Amino acid sequence: LIRQGKGHFHVSGMGHEALAAVSIQMQPDDYIVSYYRDRGLVLGRGMTTRQLGLEYFAKRNTGSGGRQMPSHYSNADLYIWSVPTPTGSQLLPACGIAWGIKLDAKPNLVVTTVGDAATRQGDFYEAICFAKEKKLPLLFLVEDNAYGISMPTRKNNPLALNVLEPDNWRRIEGHDVQEVYDATAEAFEKIRAGNGPFFFWINMERLSSHTSSDDQKLYRSAEELRALEKFDPLKGWKDRLIEESLITAEQYAKLDDDVKERIRREYSEAEKAEDPSPNELLANVTAPPPKSDKEILPPGKYRIGDTVNKTLRLGLEEDARRILFGEDIEDPKGGVFRLTQKLSTEFPRQVFNSPLAESTILGVACGLAAYGKRPVFELQFIDFIYPGFNQLVTNISNLRWRSFGNWKCPAVIYAPYGAYLPGGS
């Protein structure tokens, strides 16, 4: 299609198809928080090739309304969270969704994925820490295809450098569909039983260039490329099915022809579908502001801190979905400005201390809100926003817009500033 001038960009999932063996075992209310290489994973979850065709052509009737690049999956009906482009920035929202599930004591779980190169991102480590601290119902998959575009990663990823504890990570051969299936079944059973997160490091091969804008022949030898065929999960699975007489070679060939013809037809139909309208460019940037005529405090003189505390208390009383999270906000400290004093004592299931990790605070807020909670999260000083700025810009500020309103982020972030001293320089 690209050679024909039909479309401008594509991210291949060739070599990663065995992850469909993960998603076919998921329950209807489980979540996927993935990245752009996960075509097999989302197809196993229930997305169709027709939907992928609509996304490729950036058509209006997609999970993003035509606003996202190809392979940036989003399907709220199937609980497939909207893929952000900066790699690794999906991991903390995945933790937020998983925390919401745990707070509600539901038997569901979250599968989140990341490529090997993005394991050098700070959010990767923050997500691991938060998942282990809260014992979240989360399956964490690192898809190690040995390259970050052109850069080899097998010697400098955190597992190879002994930054990660090897015993925490189950090593899996990603071209072996049965191995992926069996390991997932075991992990899912333990996660649903309340045993906390599981971590898979999956070795696989990227059978194509990084994207349609890349040419891996520039940096991979001809010998290396010739050897890739034996790591093709589809070929390996086909050979196994034929060897075990579950299907004949002729039956497989017919099935292969039928699937290819169906995909050609569906992509041809998708090309003719409705395009986004320029008139909708600013639709779903934000929700309409809420209206409230309720009097929280009668007229009088109040200290700002007392006003904030009473407002937070009323919010917690009125809506059990409201969650407060921030550094030092639990009693006895009750916040460095005492804004949350006595709240954790009165609402122990809604008020929690956070780690000193601003990206965690903002990323978890986004995921928790997308799940359906109403997070009200504190940054101790506005000066400290910058370690979490990626989550603010990449997810909180545009999740609603980039998903055409299919995913929402009703979060409140507050941070003191000014007063009698700065929090930083």
Side-chain angles (χ1 to χ4, degrees):
L1 288 170
I2 291 174
R3 287 195 297 268
Q4 296 173 27
K6 298 178 178 181
H8 72 285
F9 186 75
H10 176 65
V11 182
S12 172
M14 293 174 62
H16 293 238
E17 295 94 342
L19 293 188
V22 174
S23 49
I24 62 172
Q25 301 185 66
M26 297 177 70
Q27 295 180 1
D29 291 338
D30 294 340
Y31 286 76
I32 286 178
V33 184
S34 63
Y35 87 119
Y36 47 69
R37 196 76 63 193
D38 286 325
R39 178 174 295 261
L41 186 71
V42 300
L43 284 170
R45 182 60 169 151
M47 284 194 75
T48 66
T49 51
R50 185 178 188 280
Q51 289 173 318
L52 295 180
L54 291 169
E55 288 193 346
Y56 172 78
F57 289 110
K59 296 298 183 177
R60 187 180 186 278
N61 187 25
T62 64
S64 71
R67 293 173 169 178
Q68 284 273 65
M69 297 171 69
S71 303
H72 286 55
Y73 316 105
S74 177
N75 190 312
D77 293 334
L78 295 174
Y79 296 93
I80 299 171
W81 199 71
S82 170
V83 172
T85 299
T87 53
S89 58
Q90 71 276 13
L91 301 176
L92 287 168
C95 290
I97 295 171
W99 192 25
I101 290 171
K102 182 169 184 178
L103 289 172
D104 286 345
K106 290 183 176 180
N108 302 110
L109 53 79
V110 178
V111 173
T112 191
T113 67
V114 67
D116 49 291
T119 60
R120 295 290 295 263
Q121 293 277 357
D123 280 7
F124 174 76
Y125 302 96
E126 291 194 30
I128 292 172
C129 289
F130 192 77
K132 291 175 73 70
E133 174 198 350
K134 298 293 186 183
K135 295 183 178 180
L136 298 179
L138 183 71
L139 179 60
F140 204 120
L141 309 180
V142 174
E143 301 175 33
D144 182 359
N145 60 30
Y147 281 89
I149 305 183
S150 69
M151 298 183 297
T153 60
R154 287 273 159 88
K155 294 182 180 179
N156 61 15
N157 68 60
L159 198 59
L161 294 171
N162 293 318
V163 174
L164 301 176
E165 175 55 55
D167 291 343
N168 288 337
W169 293 83
R170 180 165 179 174
R171 303 294 294 262
I172 296 173
E173 292 302 321
H175 65 274
D176 188 329
V177 177
Q178 192 66 53
E179 182 179 349
V180 173
Y181 183 94
D182 293 342
T184 299
E186 180 184 344
F188 277 1
E189 182 179 0
K190 292 179 179 179
I191 292 171
R192 295 191 199 280
N195 291 310
F198 271 68
F199 303 91
F200 288 177
W201 195 282
I202 306 176
N203 290 324
M204 43 185 50
E205 291 291 345
R206 198 186 73 197
L207 302 184
S208 61
S209 297
H210 172 68
T211 68
S212 57
S213 300
D214 177 46
D215 182 1
Q216 63 181 350
K217 293 192 294 293
L218 295 173
Y219 49 86
R220 302 182 79 170
S221 69
E223 181 182 3
E224 181 184 4
L225 293 174
R226 282 194 299 270
L228 293 181
E229 183 181 1
K230 63 184 178 183
F231 298 105
D232 183 345
L234 295 182
K235 183 180 183 302
W237 189 241
K238 176 198 74 171
D239 293 344
R240 179 170 180 170
L241 293 177
I242 293 173
E243 181 182 348
E244 296 180 3
S245 299
L246 295 172
I247 193 172
T248 67
E250 292 75 17
Q251 288 172 328
Y252 182 89
K254 183 179 185 308
L255 178 62
D256 188 52
D257 289 341
D258 290 345
V259 169
K260 288 176 179 176
E261 179 56 36
R262 174 173 57 80
I263 291 174
R264 291 189 192 98
R265 183 177 64 253
E266 289 177 346
Y267 269 68
S268 178
E269 293 169 353
E271 184 182 4
K272 303 169 187 173
E274 180 186 5
D275 289 320
S277 170
N279 298 326
E280 294 178 321
L281 178 63
L282 298 181
N284 287 301
V285 173
T286 60
K291 296 180 180 180
S292 177
D293 298 324
K294 181 177 295 184
E295 182 181 76
I296 296 176
L297 294 170
K301 292 184 177 181
Y302 301 93
R303 295 185 303 177
I304 291 177
D306 293 338
T307 304
V308 172
N309 182 270
K310 291 179 183 294
T311 302
L312 294 174
R313 175 178 279 102
L314 182 63
L316 294 167
E317 290 173 349
E318 291 189 342
D319 194 340
R321 297 176 300 169
R322 286 206 174 93
I323 305 295
L324 269 60
F325 187 63
E327 297 164 19
D328 298 296
I329 71 169
E330 287 186 21
D331 296 325
K333 183 72 171 175
V336 294
F337 290 112
R338 308 287 286 159
L339 300 178
T340 56
Q341 58 183 318
K342 299 184 180 180
L343 296 183
S344 67
T345 302
E346 297 179 32
F347 304 93
R349 293 180 54 82
Q350 293 173 262
V351 182
F352 303 93
N353 276 340
S354 76
L356 200 163
E358 285 77 17
S359 196
T360 295
I361 294 171
L362 294 177
V364 168
C366 184
L368 202 60
Y371 167 75
K373 296 293 186 181
R374 295 295 182 264
V376 182
F377 282 20
E378 177 183 299
L379 294 174
Q380 200 165 79
F381 291 93
I382 194 60
D383 311 61
F384 303 156
I385 184 66
Y386 297 102
F389 205 64
N390 174 40
Q391 288 296 330
L392 181 65
V393 173
T394 297
N395 289 321
I396 290 177
S397 66
N398 76 9
L399 176 63
R400 183 187 183 98
W401 184 87
R402 75 173 188 241
S403 68
F404 206 57
N406 291 300
W407 288 101
K408 300 174 178 63
C409 184
V412 173
I413 308 295
Y414 70 95
Y417 78 98
Y420 63 92
L421 82 168
S425 58

